[in-house]
Amino acid sequence: MKPIWIVDDDESIRWVLEKALARENLATKSFSNTRDAIEALEKSTPQVLVSDIRMPGQSGLELLQAVKAKYPGLPVIVMTAFSDLDSAVAAFQGGAFEYLAKPFDLDKAVELIRRALEESLREASVEQASAETPEILGQAPAMQDVFRAIGRLSQSNVTVLITGESGTGKELVARALHKHSPRAAQPFIALNTAAIPKDLLESELFGHERGAFTGAQATRRGRFEQAEGGTLFLDEIGDMPFDLQTRLLRVLSDGHFYRVGGHQPLKANVRVIAATHQNLEHRVKEGLFREDLYHRLNVIRLRLPSLRERREDIPILTRFFLTQSAKQLGVEAKRMSDQAVQFLSSLDLPGNVRQLENLCNWITVMAPGQVVEVKDLPQELIDEQGFSGSAALSSPSVMSVAAEPRLTPSQIRIANAADDGSASGLAATPSINALADRPSWIKLLETEAAQMLLAGRPEVMDALGRQFESALIKTALKHTHGRKNDAAVRLGIGRNTITRKIHELGIDGAKDD
């Protein structure tokens, strides 16, 4: 790891920070002026830069500008004894990581440097991971399966049907299949069949001859001809009109088609990739989609997971979209706090990756400050999660709440009793909606403990503790799709601990990552 650079004309400040960081086993390098620091940047770079603003000669803001011009991802903490608004605004506009007013609390200063250090290391890992910019981002096992499928199909011309919810990135996968195929040097043509009016869709696909219909003043090549030698991507194929399905089937069957109003058959040398968010089997049963066309398209099926199935990818996707959005607007990229990333990862996001991208665009434009907290996100997202007001947002335990309600030990006990065939006590059980209120959750726990104590139940602490731990672990496993190592990270416990607990509590459905 690179050293932390300290730039300040005050020797006592440099000495205090050096000693404090040395106790944290962090290497430092100090400079008494901006000129020396800028010269040193020609030969090496720090992991984090801590600089005073007002110094003789060049100011810390000039140093900040020089650093951001060459190393935009390097966190810079600026400090000054002049706690004025202009300095703070100038620092943040220049891309400072944080603003530290003198005199400062040394422990808080070290904590801030630690946060900047973590940010720097994350930036470095992201830059390394994206050195070869992938067309699709994803580290989740479900996405790795998609990548493997793309690799296996790289040298094939076979027809592929891509399924998945809206916003999961079906066109990106289609483009990747084309890019890694023998047809990569030829055109990739995309057509959303749901976005074209029925009367025009036939002409869009197959073209038309001059005079074929009113307004056809010249011969026009359709998408099949435009994609000659390459790939034709037909998005939302499930919405294609039934009569056009017949024409498409004929092209896929014998490779020939006619322009609208034409009499000369044309040969189609095109690979077709289709995509839909609909269940084509149901469409076939309902008589809305031809069964023979379905089987012709469904040679290889590639299902894209929803974002709910790959929550571990949300942090890297968020960082990528924030960076992309900032570049488009020519501004400094926003950074998400750990709590904000955790909050986003708990959301269902029915619009999937597209919704997350739109959210990042909103954050870039609307969120105040460079570091985005939960309270800075759109209010409707916070309301959907059941948060109410700043008091709820300030609680770490509320920030980390999952998207689905958690069961209390009382309800777990009653649910278990119901599974055993006993219905006693069900009528008196509060509704799950009451759990949205944190004080009510505590009240339920207190009531359950009181009832057990009055009944003379032995080992109340152990009984409630086991039920509580079981509920937490089961919920975490549900959100990680059974991956116990990932669940351990989310719960803040060790891998050996969760393995032991799963065995002791008799929890099923866990698997190694």
Side-chain angles (χ1 to χ4, degrees):
M1 188 172 65
K2 301 172 186 176
I4 296 165
W5 286 11
I6 303 168
V7 185
D8 199 312
D9 60 324
D10 188 331
E11 183 179 0
S12 62
I13 294 292
R14 298 198 305 270
W15 184 86
V16 167
L17 287 175
E18 287 170 3
K19 296 302 180 184
L21 294 173
R23 287 196 298 270
E24 300 288 324
N25 296 318
L26 296 174
T28 60
K29 186 175 182 180
S30 295
F31 303 87
S32 61
N33 58 73
T34 298
R35 184 188 66 257
D36 292 345
I38 291 177
E39 290 178 358
L41 281 172
E42 299 296 328
K43 301 176 182 178
S44 60
T45 57
Q47 201 74 51
V48 173
L49 177 65
V50 183
S51 174
D52 192 16
I53 285 185
R54 306 205 180 197
M55 292 179 286
Q58 293 176 288
S59 71
L61 292 178
E62 291 176 279
L63 173 60
L64 173 64
Q65 185 178 8
V67 168
K68 288 299 177 180
K70 293 188 67 174
Y71 308 104
L74 175 61
V76 178
I77 298 172
V78 295
M79 51 185 179
T80 181
F82 301 88
S83 304
D84 60 280
L85 179 62
D86 290 342
S87 295
V89 171
F92 280 118
Q93 285 180 341
F97 176 80
E98 191 53 86
Y99 175 82
L100 187 61
K102 297 178 183 178
F104 51 78
D105 181 277
L106 188 57
D107 290 337
K108 290 184 178 180
V110 172
E111 180 184 352
L112 177 58
I113 293 171
R114 275 278 188 197
R115 282 204 292 118
L117 187 61
E118 293 170 2
E119 176 72 19
S120 178
L121 294 174
R122 278 198 297 266
E123 287 285 348
S125 64
V126 169
E127 286 176 8
Q128 182 178 359
S130 60
E132 299 178 4
T133 306
E135 54 264 49
I136 311 172
L137 290 172
Q139 298 174 346
M143 287 305 296
Q144 295 303 312
D145 291 340
V146 173
F147 297 156
R148 278 190 286 271
I150 292 174
R152 293 189 188 103
L153 293 167
S154 62
Q155 296 304 309
S156 171
N157 285 319
V158 68
T159 301
V160 178
L161 176 63
I162 305 172
T163 62
E165 296 178 9
S166 295
T168 50
K170 295 186 284 293
E171 183 170 342
L172 285 178
V173 171
R175 289 184 181 276
L177 286 168
H178 172 74
K179 178 180 177 181
H180 298 284
S181 77
R183 298 174 177 264
Q186 302 304 317
F188 174 89
I189 303 297
L191 177 66
N192 187 326
T193 58
I196 307 296
K198 177 181 176 180
D199 296 340
L200 299 178
L201 185 56
E202 184 177 17
S203 175
E204 283 289 330
L205 275 173
F206 306 110
H208 61 253
E209 298 288 354
R210 180 181 179 182
F213 51 83
T214 302
Q217 298 178 354
T219 299
R220 184 179 184 275
R221 297 167 65 232
R223 301 301 174 95
F224 269 97
E225 287 181 80
Q226 294 172 20
E228 178 65 22
T231 301
L232 177 61
F233 174 55
L234 299 177
D235 198 6
E236 300 302 350
I237 192 73
D239 293 312
M240 178 176 279
F242 200 85
D243 52 346
L244 277 182
Q245 294 176 27
T246 303
R247 291 204 60 182
L248 178 61
L249 176 63
R250 187 172 300 140
V251 179
L252 295 177
S253 300
D254 61 23
H256 291 85
F257 66 94
Y258 293 86
R259 292 184 186 137
V260 175
H263 304 285
Q264 185 70 27
L266 301 174
K267 175 70 175 175
N269 176 23
V270 172
R271 181 192 191 181
V272 173
I273 298 176
T276 182
H277 73 281
Q278 302 193 54
N279 187 316
L280 288 188
E281 289 91 341
H282 289 173
R283 301 278 290 177
V284 169
K285 290 179 182 178
E286 293 169 355
L288 299 174
F289 201 84
R290 292 184 61 108
E291 184 174 6
D292 44 7
L293 176 59
Y294 165 71
H295 291 301
R296 181 69 67 170
L297 292 172
N298 194 34
V299 179
I300 298 291
R301 178 181 292 214
L302 201 53
R303 177 187 173 276
L304 294 192
S306 67
L307 207 50
R308 297 183 302 280
E309 300 172 71
R310 45 181 295 218
R311 294 182 187 272
E312 53 267 68
D313 284 340
I314 289 179
I316 189 173
L317 287 169
T318 301
R319 186 182 296 273
F320 173 77
F321 289 138
L322 286 176
T323 302
Q324 187 180 59
S325 179
K327 286 181 180 177
Q328 291 171 353
L329 294 174
V331 298
E332 183 77 10
K334 299 288 177 70
R335 297 183 292 273
M336 306 291 290
S337 70
D338 291 341
Q339 290 86 354
V341 170
Q342 190 175 12
F343 177 82
L344 286 183
S345 299
S346 74
L347 298 176
D348 281 345
L349 296 175
N352 294 294
V353 179
R354 185 184 297 121
Q355 183 179 356
L356 182 62
E357 181 179 10
N358 292 339
L359 175 59
C360 290
N361 290 335
W362 184 96
I363 290 170
T364 299
V365 176
M366 300 297 294
Q370 285 300 111
V371 179
V372 180
E373 302 290 348
V374 178
K375 61 183 175 60
D376 301 323
L377 298 175
Q379 189 61 42
E380 58 268 23
L381 291 182
I382 298 173
D383 292 341
E384 285 174 10
Q385 288 299 90
F387 296 113
S388 58
S390 58
L393 291 173
S394 63
S395 169
S397 61
V398 175
M399 285 181 183
S400 62
V401 72
E404 300 176 16
R406 302 172 186 264
L407 296 178
T408 67
S410 175
Q411 289 184 314
I412 293 169
R413 181 182 66 79
I414 293 170
N416 290 338
D419 290 341
D420 293 336
S422 171
S424 61
L426 286 176
T429 304
S431 68
I432 284 183
N433 291 334
L435 298 179
D437 182 13
R438 190 169 178 268
S440 297
W441 182 89
I442 298 297
K443 199 69 177 176
L444 284 171
L445 179 60
E446 291 172 351
T447 302
E448 175 65 11
Q451 291 174 350
M452 294 177 70
L453 290 168
L454 288 171
R457 292 276 299 275
E459 301 175 343
V460 173
M461 179 72 77
D462 181 64
L464 289 178
R466 286 174 62 85
Q467 292 173 1
F468 185 73
E469 289 179 341
S470 178
L472 286 178
I473 292 173
K474 285 179 179 177
T475 302
L477 289 172
K478 179 180 179 181
H479 282 278
T480 61
H481 307 287
R483 295 189 297 278
K484 65 181 182 182
N485 291 347
D486 192 3
V489 171
R490 295 194 180 207
L491 290 172
I493 61 177
R495 287 179 290 182
N496 292 338
T497 300
I498 198 171
T499 300
R500 187 183 77 253
K501 293 288 185 183
I502 287 171
H503 177 72
E504 290 175 354
L505 299 170
I507 297 173
D508 297 323
K511 60 186 178 183
D512 293 325
D513 291 2

